[in-house]
């Protein structure tokens, strides 16, 4: 327990935090000790102190002459003896208060962001009503999405008796022991919201806390900086075991409710100090205040290996234009110069996984910060980013907002654009595949005020810089001794000018490969090693899904304490720069792909994914992030990326079979579509056809008149199955159906690339089936190509830069020419 000078210092620290963030940014958790000084009436009308959960158990034990300490069992016995009305009447008497203390009123007058409580009583509500503060009460029967922040939310996570009706009170009031309640709350949507509030709030206070209220160890996951922001206010000295437990999570202050009230009163008397807006979901990019240490070879090796960056070194290297840490991309300078001269508003940078878009984003951010722009990097999921946009709106000056993975944050981008500020610039990233498929959607989100840049091909100057970089740090492996010209040809031809293939070459170099193998060589019992490997696998899968690998999220997915699991190996992982600020800090999707496919057994990876999906199915509704992860882990392309090609036949089908009965899969058409795509990739067309039938059935049941993704993939299936399989003979029936889908989608969604991608299958279909087609069929194919070209020419925008559309146009001309040649061979001229 803190005492003496240490206690004074801790109290002053709490006061300073509350004073700075008094504009509804601090969170209060009210436990039984907070309400104990308030008064209510017993069944005989005598005034009593509001009983805690322990006191209620003691009342039941004395009144019923029972030995049990289990609150739930005692409540059941009381109900057996006095009926539901008797239990309801007792709770109403005990927990509808008739008096509160001045200290309770003072605490409630503070400008809290929200108040959580395990108490059944109306102490907080009574204090707020006396102060004239607007508030709204939320019980377990409501959802976090119901919360309206225009009034102060009071969240009774254990139930609220005052407004509970007789018919509802047994559903609403949780009369149970702390352990079981804490487990239940931890897995609920409210538990997830509570954790998010703790992560995103500058100060969290547990007032009148006891273990009877909530077992924090079961609800909280530790994260970096937590202890600096959490305070437990207790009246009496806690037991040594409780104190030790609480000190894992924050500071314990023995000042009671009266001491907290004094802090609030002192703050209310001092209105001169400035209020600080606390941003948790947006991280400000700041230039280093002191000179960075010298760059070491090991820093570069760690960056090449895992994408892990020392930001002090990186910012210094970027601003000074040394480029000894990373390779400078020409487009970054173009973007910076044009934003600085107000010629560019919003940017979308896209690339294939591993081609450097996240590092590119950081580079642009530091360059603009050096030019006095206020630069903020999005660090959280979209719902948290949205919450803080009102704060962003009030920041003066030119703002640059960096958003990695734009398609996961479309709502946040819309909200920023809707602010209408011409001095806010958005620079976002996306993967090439998603950009090509949804280019029209992303342009609409930006109100067509966005310029796109691709990083998928290294420019000549970037290839030269890349060679110099790899030469300097001896990362070429067996190619180290090749000439400059030979290395240039290797990058141009073998790597197709893509950075990710160059990085894969570096990962196979002895210096990096040996380090990676050292990471994965964990010591200890098999179950201990498996836990560490499980944490690393989930972190890599989240990285591939573009979800930040926060240890609290990983803990939820693996269902054990991830931080504890890797504790013994934390020093080694930290030496490799793989743990930072409560996260597994691997950012390189190339590294993730390399580790999962080459260095860990596929069967173990699939087992970990399947277990995670089963749990995600349970917590799916608790948080948007869990729904997002579930959706990604269900996608065929994602599953494919986690399995090496030679092992897909066995493991990919097994994975989809294992998750098809989960509640968020079995009745969802898009899941069955993903499974059908899996079967198509394996040329199992009859199985795919069956799965398409299931997908269409559920789509119709869901009320979809038109499911464009399903239709698009079905058109692809029709063409590929009739091209590659001899199980079908209805070639032109399938072709015509596929063609009608493509043309309709081109008309309905002029900016969509999907139908143009599918139409490229016309040429292989014709080449494979020309001998099975009649003259009229060949003529019909020529006409179909003309229809596609007509849509191509009428497509809005600059499609000359769109490779999918351009390739489709070329394919249509080749298909039409080939069909004409086949007709000529049969003596028919058009």
């Amino acid at each position: 327990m803190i005492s003496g000078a240490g206690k004074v210092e801790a109290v002053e620290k709490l006061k300073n935090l509350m004073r700075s963030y008094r504009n509804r940014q601090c969170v209060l958790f009210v436990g039984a000790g907070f309400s104990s000084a308030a008064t209510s009436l017993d069944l005989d009308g005598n005034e009593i102190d509001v009983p805690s959960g322990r006191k209620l158990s003691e009342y039941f034990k004395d009144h019923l002459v029972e030995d049990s300490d289990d609150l739930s069992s005692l409540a059941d016995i009381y109900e057996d003896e006095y009926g539901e009305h008797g239990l309801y009447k007792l709770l109403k008497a005990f927990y509808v208060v008739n008096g509160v203390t001045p200290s309770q009123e003072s605490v409630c007058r503070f400008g809290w962001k929200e108040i959580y409580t395990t108490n059944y009583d109306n102490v907080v509500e009574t204090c707020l009503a006396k102060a004239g503060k607007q508030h709204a009460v939320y019980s377990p029967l409501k959802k976090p999405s119901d919360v309206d922040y225009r009034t102060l939310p009071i969240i009774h996570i254990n139930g609220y008796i005052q407004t509970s009706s007789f018919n509802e009170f047994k559903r609403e009031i949780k009369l149970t022991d702390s352990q079981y309640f804490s487990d239940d709350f931890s897995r609920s949507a409210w538990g997830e919201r509570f954790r998010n509030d703790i992560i995103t709030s500058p100060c969290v206070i547990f007032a009148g806390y006891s273990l009877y209220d909530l077992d924090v160890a079961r609800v909280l996951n530790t994260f970096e900086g937590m202890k600096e922001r959490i305070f437990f206010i207790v009246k009496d000295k806690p037991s040594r075991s409780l104190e030790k437990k609480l000190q894992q999570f924050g500071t314990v202050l023995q000042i009671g409710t009266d001491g907290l009230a004094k802090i609030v009163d002192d703050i209310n008397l001092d209105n001169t100090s400035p209020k600080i807006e606390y941003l948790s979901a947006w991280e400000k990019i700041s230039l280093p205040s002191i000179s960075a240490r010298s760059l070491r070879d090991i820093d570069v090796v760690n960056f090449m290996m895992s994408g892990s960056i020392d930001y002090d070194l990186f910012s210094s290297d970027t601003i000074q234009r040394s480029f000894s840490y990373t390779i400078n991309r020409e487009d970054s300078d173009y973007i910076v110069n044009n934003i600085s001269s107000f010629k560019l508003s919003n940017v979308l940078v896209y690339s294939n996984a591993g081609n450097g878009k996240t590092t590119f984003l950081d580079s642009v951010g530091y360059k603009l910060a050096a030019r006095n722009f206020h630069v903020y990097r999005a660090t959280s999921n979209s719902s948290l980013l949205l919450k803080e946009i009102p704060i962003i709106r009030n920041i003066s000056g030119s703002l640059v907002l960096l958003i990695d993975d734009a398609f996961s944050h479309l709502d946040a981008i819309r909200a920023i654009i809707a602010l209408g500020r011409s001095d806010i610039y958005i620079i976002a990233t996306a993967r090439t595949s998603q950009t090509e498929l949804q280019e029209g959607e992303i342009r609409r989100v930006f109100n067509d005020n966005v310029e796109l840049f691709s990083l998928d091909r290294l420019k000549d100057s970037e290839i030269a810089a890349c060679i110099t970089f790899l030469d300097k740090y001896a990362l070429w492996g067996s190619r180290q001794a090749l000439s400059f010209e030979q290395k240039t040809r290797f990058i141009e031809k073998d790597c197709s000018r893509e950075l990710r293939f160059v990085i894969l070459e570096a990962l196979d170099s002895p210096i990096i490969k040996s380090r990676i193998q050292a990471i994965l060589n964990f010591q200890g019992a098999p179950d201990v090693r498996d836990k560490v490997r499980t944490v690393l696998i989930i972190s890599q899968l989240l990285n591939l899904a573009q979800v930040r690998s926060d240890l609290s999220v990983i803990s939820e997915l693996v269902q054990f304490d991830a931080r504890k699991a890797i504790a013994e190996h934390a020093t080694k992982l930290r030496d490799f720069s793989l743990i930072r600020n409560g996260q597994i800090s691997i950012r390189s999707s190339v590294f993730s792909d390399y580790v999962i496919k080459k260095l860990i057994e596929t069967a173990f990876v699939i087992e970990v994914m399947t277990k995670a999906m089963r749990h995600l199915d349970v917590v799916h509704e608790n948080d948007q992030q869990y729904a997002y992860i579930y959706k990604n882990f269900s996608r065929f392309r994602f599953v494919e990326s986690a399995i090496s090609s030679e092992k897909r036949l066995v493991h990919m089908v097994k994975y989809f079979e294992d998750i098809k009965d989960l509640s968020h899969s079995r009745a969802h058409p898009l899941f069955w579509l993903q499974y059908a795509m899996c079967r198509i990739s394996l040329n199992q067309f009859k199985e795919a056809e069956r799965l398409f039938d299931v997908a269409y059935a559920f789509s119709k049941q869901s009320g979809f008149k038109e499911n464009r993704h399903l239709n698009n993939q079905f058109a692809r299936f029709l063409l590929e199955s009739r091209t590659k399989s001899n199980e079908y003979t209805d070639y032109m029936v399938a072709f015509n159906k596929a063609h009608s889908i493509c043309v309709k989608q081109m008309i309905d969604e002029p900016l969509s690339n999907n139908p143009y991608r599918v139409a490229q299958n016309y040429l292989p279909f014709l080449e494979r089936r020309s001998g099975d087609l009649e003259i009229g069929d060949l003529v019909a194919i020529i006409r179909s190509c003309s229809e596609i070209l007509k849509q191509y020419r009428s497509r809005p925008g600059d499609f000359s830069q769109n490779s999918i559309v351009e390739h489709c146009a070329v394919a249509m001309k080749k298909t039409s020419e080939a069909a004409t040649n086949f007709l000529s061979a049969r003596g028919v001229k058009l």
Side-chain angles (χ1 to χ4, degrees):
M1 177 69 67
I2 298 175
S3 58
K7 179 178 178 180
V8 173
E9 184 180 336
V11 169
E12 195 61 30
K13 177 183 175 182
L14 173 58
K15 185 187 293 185
N16 289 335
L17 278 173
M18 291 178 66
R19 180 186 291 115
S20 296
Y21 299 110
R22 62 189 183 275
N23 50 337
R24 291 196 62 187
Q25 296 189 74
C26 302
V27 172
L28 175 66
F29 180 99
V30 170
F34 180 83
S35 293
S36 62
T39 56
S40 60
L41 302 176
D42 64 16
L43 292 175
D44 297 322
N46 300 313
E47 190 169 83
I48 58 171
D49 293 335
V50 173
S52 64
R54 180 181 290 107
K55 292 290 185 181
L56 181 61
S57 286
E58 291 173 0
Y59 174 86
F60 282 145
K61 286 175 66 176
D62 293 343
H63 201 74
L64 299 169
V65 194
E66 289 287 336
D67 292 330
S68 173
D69 290 315
D70 182 74
L71 180 58
S72 180
S73 299
L74 290 168
D76 286 341
I77 296 170
Y78 190 90
E79 183 184 332
D80 289 342
E81 194 156 327
Y82 295 96
E84 284 188 28
H85 278 283
L87 180 60
Y88 180 64
K89 184 179 178 182
L90 177 75
L91 295 176
K92 280 280 192 180
F94 279 8
Y95 296 110
V96 175
V97 302
N98 66 347
V100 293
T101 68
S103 291
Q104 290 167 335
E105 292 181 45
S106 289
V107 170
C108 292
R109 276 197 298 269
F110 184 74
W112 301 106
K113 175 183 177 182
E114 51 204 346
I115 299 176
Y116 287 87
T117 178
T118 48
N119 300 340
Y120 313 128
D121 60 64
N122 63 332
V123 170
V124 171
E125 288 78 6
T126 301
C127 293
L128 292 171
K130 293 183 74 171
K133 296 195 72 165
Q134 288 191 317
H135 60 279
V137 176
Y138 300 89
S139 70
L141 300 183
K142 295 183 180 179
K143 297 178 180 179
S145 56
D146 295 331
V147 172
D148 181 353
Y149 275 97
R150 288 174 296 184
T151 57
L152 172 62
I154 314 300
I155 300 162
H156 284 264
I157 55 182
N158 216 6
Y160 181 55
I161 193 62
Q162 185 180 29
T163 57
S164 180
S165 68
F166 172 72
N167 292 329
E168 293 287 343
F169 92 96
K170 291 205 62 184
R171 288 181 57 221
E172 180 171 327
I173 304 299
K174 295 180 182 294
L175 292 166
T176 185
D177 282 344
S178 168
Q179 174 177 330
Y180 301 107
F181 163 66
S182 298
D183 286 341
D184 184 48
F185 175 63
S186 178
R187 291 190 292 265
S188 73
W190 286 112
E192 190 59 40
R193 181 190 182 85
F194 180 54
R195 279 191 290 272
N196 275 338
D197 279 330
I198 288 177
I199 291 170
T200 59
S201 298
C203 180
V204 181
I205 297 170
F206 289 79
Y209 174 85
S210 76
L211 271 182
Y212 212 91
D213 296 311
L214 190 73
D215 185 352
V216 288
R218 294 175 183 271
V219 176
L220 300 183
N221 291 310
T222 58
F223 59 89
E224 210 73 26
M226 168 186 278
K227 294 177 70 172
E228 301 300 312
R229 296 192 263 136
I230 293 181
F231 297 83
F232 295 94
I233 307 299
V234 295
K235 181 181 179 181
D236 301 316
K237 182 175 175 60
S239 65
R240 283 194 294 175
S241 62
L242 174 57
E243 183 179 356
K244 188 174 181 180
K245 174 175 280 192
L246 296 185
Q247 285 174 342
Q248 297 176 53
F249 301 101
T251 302
V252 183
L253 288 175
Q254 190 181 346
I255 59 174
T257 302
D258 292 343
L260 180 59
K262 185 178 185 309
I263 291 175
V264 172
D265 290 339
D266 289 346
I267 292 171
N268 288 338
L269 289 172
D270 174 20
N271 284 317
T272 58
S273 58
K275 297 177 181 178
I276 299 173
E277 297 287 3
Y278 181 73
L279 288 168
S280 61
W282 297 89
E283 175 189 2
K284 185 166 187 180
I285 287 187
S286 301
L287 301 180
S289 56
I290 56 174
S291 299
R293 62 173 172 80
S294 299
L295 184 69
R296 304 168 301 174
D297 287 7
I298 194 65
D299 298 315
V300 177
V301 169
N302 282 338
F303 172 65
M304 291 296 292
M305 182 181 74
S306 65
S308 177
I309 280 184
D310 181 311
Y311 280 109
D312 286 341
L313 289 172
F314 177 77
S315 60
S316 180
D317 185 66
T318 301
I319 294 164
Q320 295 173 18
R321 301 189 67 80
S322 305
F323 305 122
S324 300
Y325 200 175
T326 60
I327 298 160
N328 188 46
R329 304 299 292 267
E330 288 183 15
D331 283 340
S332 68
D333 292 323
Y334 174 88
I335 291 168
V336 169
N337 290 334
N338 280 275
I339 286 179
S340 300
S341 57
F342 314 110
K343 296 176 183 176
L344 198 58
S345 295
N346 302 305
V347 170
L348 180 73
V349 179
Y350 63 93
S351 76
N352 290 318
N355 277 342
K357 58 187 177 299
T358 302
T359 302
F360 181 95
L361 195 66
D362 290 335
S363 172
V364 170
Y366 280 110
K367 288 176 181 178
L368 286 168
R371 299 192 183 195
N372 295 319
F373 284 83
H374 300 297
V375 183
Y376 292 86
R377 182 195 291 117
T379 64
S380 194
N381 62 49
S382 197
S383 61
L384 295 178
L385 296 175
L386 277 168
K387 275 186 185 180
E388 295 182 354
I389 286 175
I391 299 176
I392 293 287
R393 178 187 58 203
N394 293 327
I395 298 175
S396 59
S398 296
L399 298 179
V400 175
L401 304 179
L402 308 179
I403 302 177
D404 212 355
D405 188 16
F407 288 98
S408 297
H409 302 297
L410 294 181
D411 287 343
I413 294 172
R414 285 191 191 95
I416 296 164
I417 296 295
L419 295 177
R421 278 184 55 176
S422 60
D423 58 350
I424 293 183
Y425 306 88
I426 299 174
I427 305 175
T429 68
R431 291 192 174 173
T432 298
S433 57
Q434 203 159 12
T435 304
E436 289 177 341
L437 294 176
Q438 296 175 260
E439 182 183 337
E441 181 179 2
I442 198 70
R443 287 189 181 278
R444 285 192 293 273
V445 168
F446 279 100
N447 289 340
D448 288 322
N449 186 21
V450 61
E451 190 166 333
L452 274 60
F453 295 84
S454 172
L455 298 180
D456 281 332
R457 288 178 61 80
L458 291 165
K459 295 178 171 63
D460 290 346
S461 62
E462 293 167 349
I463 290 177
C466 193
I467 292 170
T468 303
F469 183 87
L470 295 177
D471 282 347
K472 180 178 180 179
Y473 297 106
L475 295 175
W476 278 107
S478 60
R479 289 186 171 83
Q480 188 72 33
L482 294 180
S483 68
F484 183 88
E485 290 73 21
Q486 287 174 313
K487 289 171 181 173
T488 299
R489 282 197 298 275
F490 171 74
I491 293 177
E492 288 178 345
K493 304 298 182 184
D494 295 53
C495 299
S496 304
R497 288 181 174 260
E498 288 202 55
L499 182 61
R500 58 177 172 162
F501 296 127
V502 180
I503 294 173
L504 277 173
E505 182 71 12
L507 289 177
D508 262 336
S509 67
I511 189 172
I512 291 184
K513 195 170 185 177
S514 62
R515 286 178 65 76
I516 296 173
Q517 289 170 337
I519 291 175
L520 298 178
N521 184 26
F522 297 111
Q523 305 299 315
D527 61 324
V528 174
R529 292 200 305 269
D530 282 350
K531 279 190 172 183
V532 180
R533 290 199 306 159
T534 297
V535 171
L536 283 179
I537 288 170
I538 288 294
S539 73
Q540 302 319 294
L541 292 171
L542 291 176
N543 189 40
L544 288 173
Q546 295 188 288
V547 175
R548 289 167 68 86
S549 302
D550 189 285
L551 286 171
S552 64
V553 175
I554 295 173
S555 296
E556 184 66 47
L557 266 59
V558 300
Q559 285 294 279
F560 56 77
D561 189 336
R563 186 181 294 275
K564 185 177 180 181
I566 63 174
E568 291 182 25
H569 309 277
T571 302
K572 178 169 69 170
L573 291 170
R574 195 169 285 112
D575 286 343
F576 287 115
S577 299
L578 299 187
I579 293 182
R580 184 180 295 154
N581 296 330
Q583 295 181 338
I584 305 283
S585 64
I586 295 169
R587 307 189 317 167
S588 168
S589 52
V590 176
F591 177 84
S592 297
D593 186 80
Y594 181 84
V595 168
I596 287 174
K597 285 183 178 176
K598 290 193 174 185
L599 300 181
I600 300 179
E601 316 88 84
T602 301
F604 190 69
V605 172
I606 293 300
E607 180 186 342
V608 170
M609 284 179 68
T610 303
K611 288 180 179 177
M613 283 293 282
R614 286 175 183 150
H615 184 65
L616 283 166
D617 190 48
V618 174
V619 300
H620 188 280
E621 311 303 329
N622 290 5
D623 190 273
Q624 287 182 351
Q625 190 172 42
Y626 295 150
Y628 176 78
I629 296 170
Y630 187 97
K631 181 180 178 181
N632 269 280
F633 280 24
S634 303
R635 289 174 55 200
F636 159 67
R637 296 296 179 198
F638 179 84
V639 179
E640 184 183 45
S641 71
I643 304 173
S644 55
S645 55
E646 68 274 10
K647 298 179 180 179
R648 285 175 189 158
L649 179 61
V650 174
H651 293 289
M652 201 152 54
V653 171
K654 181 181 185 301
Y655 177 72
F656 278 103
E657 281 292 312
D658 285 345
I659 67 171
K660 71 180 182 182
D661 289 325
L662 299 179
S663 62
H664 291 89
S665 297
R666 59 174 173 259
H668 288 252
L670 290 182
F671 166 78
W672 295 101
L673 168 60
Q674 299 304 314
Y675 193 5
M677 291 168 65
C678 163
R679 294 289 190 169
I680 291 174
S681 74
L682 301 171
N683 292 335
Q684 297 174 348
F685 295 109
K686 285 294 183 181
E687 271 301 304
E689 186 173 11
R690 178 184 66 81
L691 295 169
F692 272 112
D693 288 341
V694 175
Y696 273 113
F698 282 122
S699 181
K700 185 177 180 181
Q701 186 184 71
S702 301
F704 286 106
K705 292 182 179 179
E706 193 77 23
N707 191 320
R708 69 181 189 276
H709 297 300
L710 186 51
N711 288 343
N712 185 259
Q713 288 298 321
F714 185 62
R716 174 185 154 230
F717 158 76
L718 289 170
L719 292 168
E720 288 194 18
S721 61
R722 272 61 174 185
T723 302
K724 298 177 180 178
S725 173
N726 291 321
E727 296 178 285
Y728 301 92
T729 57
D730 58 339
Y731 307 121
M732 282 308 294
V733 171
F735 177 88
N736 289 333
K737 192 168 185 179
H739 176 67
S740 66
I741 291 172
C742 288
V743 172
K744 185 177 187 307
Q745 290 193 337
M746 289 174 185
I747 294 170
D748 291 347
E749 299 179 74
L751 291 176
S752 175
N753 295 321
N754 293 344
Y756 291 93
R757 187 193 295 273
V758 172
Q760 292 179 48
N761 287 290
Y762 289 9
L763 183 57
F765 170 83
L766 174 63
E767 291 173 340
R768 177 71 175 83
R769 295 301 172 193
S770 59
D772 300 306
L773 303 178
E774 303 293 335
I775 290 173
D777 298 334
L778 294 170
V779 173
I781 288 175
I782 293 171
R783 287 174 178 163
S784 296
C785 291
S786 296
E787 282 188 80
I788 299 293
L789 286 169
K790 179 182 177 182
Q791 294 303 322
Y792 161 79
R793 295 186 187 102
S794 64
R795 180 183 165 98
D798 181 13
F799 51 78
S800 63
Q801 300 300 314
N802 191 312
S803 60
I804 292 177
V805 176
E806 283 296 293
H807 290 160
C808 177
V810 171
M812 291 306 98
K813 292 169 185 175
K814 286 183 177 180
T815 305
S816 185
E817 183 181 330
T820 301
N821 291 337
F822 287 134
L823 286 171
S824 296
R826 300 186 190 187
V828 178
K829 293 189 176 181
L830 295 178

